Amino acid sequence: RGAPLEVVAAVLEAWPDAVKEKAESSFEYIFEERQWVQYWDTPLHVACHCRASFEITSLVLNTWLSFKENRTKSAIMTLQRVTADCTGDVKDLIFHLFALCNNNADNPSPNEIMDYFVHIEMWSGATLVLDTNPAVIKTMGLD
């Protein structure tokens, strides 16, 4: 079905920039803009679309988030179009990431998001919480 976790981990350790590689995947018609948009998928998009395991997807996501250009709202929100294909635990992971990008009252608090990323040991996610919500340092007693 896909590469074993050990293979993905070895590739990412030897070549972290692999998460930046893009392959043409599809075109989609955007009705609001009345135009076709071409999508270029990264390995993270492919992992989500192919329903890769939580372990593989979180490893790829953690590496993907380690690059500054992927820590922006616009980069993170590119995952919206592939979340429907994800497994439930991966959807939960990405939900926590999306919660950092919008101020929906139903979202978990930055402290809860931080707890989640620490619990699953996704350190790039945890540092993203600190970058976007510096007050978490004080509220969690990390100062």
Side-chain angles (χ1 to χ4, degrees):
R1 179 172 152 121
L5 177 62
E6 297 78 23
V7 172
V8 174
V11 168
L12 292 177
E13 186 173 331
W15 183 34
D17 283 1
V19 297
K20 295 181 185 181
E21 292 296 310
K22 295 180 181 178
E24 180 180 342
S25 69
S26 64
F27 285 88
E28 184 175 311
Y29 188 76
I30 308 298
F31 288 101
E32 298 83 20
E33 298 175 19
R34 295 188 174 127
Q35 67 178 347
W36 286 92
V37 174
Q38 183 175 16
Y39 288 108
W40 295 85
D41 283 343
T42 66
L44 178 57
H45 293 91
V46 173
C48 290
H49 182 70
C50 293
R51 300 180 59 82
S53 70
F54 177 83
E55 292 76 17
I56 287 177
T57 306
S58 62
L59 176 65
V60 174
L61 177 60
N62 195 52
T63 305
W64 188 79
L65 285 173
S66 69
F67 292 96
K68 185 178 180 177
E69 64 268 22
N70 296 331
R71 297 170 69 87
T72 65
K73 179 179 179 177
S74 61
I76 291 167
M77 297 312 286
T78 66
L79 299 174
Q80 274 187 311
R81 67 184 178 82
V82 294
T83 55
D85 300 324
C86 296
T87 60
D89 49 359
V90 172
K91 283 182 183 177
D92 191 43
L93 168 62
I94 294 174
F95 165 78
H96 282 85
L97 194 57
F98 287 165
L100 289 172
C101 296
N102 60 53
N103 294 326
N104 185 331
D106 296 333
N107 283 345
S109 70
N111 286 26
E112 292 169 321
I113 297 168
M114 176 67 132
D115 286 343
Y116 174 80
F117 285 133
V118 169
H119 176 74
I120 65 168
E121 298 182 9
M122 179 169 286
W123 307 120
S124 292
T127 59
L128 181 62
V129 174
L130 295 175
D131 290 347
T132 58
N133 298 278
V136 169
I137 294 171
K138 290 186 185 204
T139 60
M140 294 188 82
L142 300 174
D143 53 349

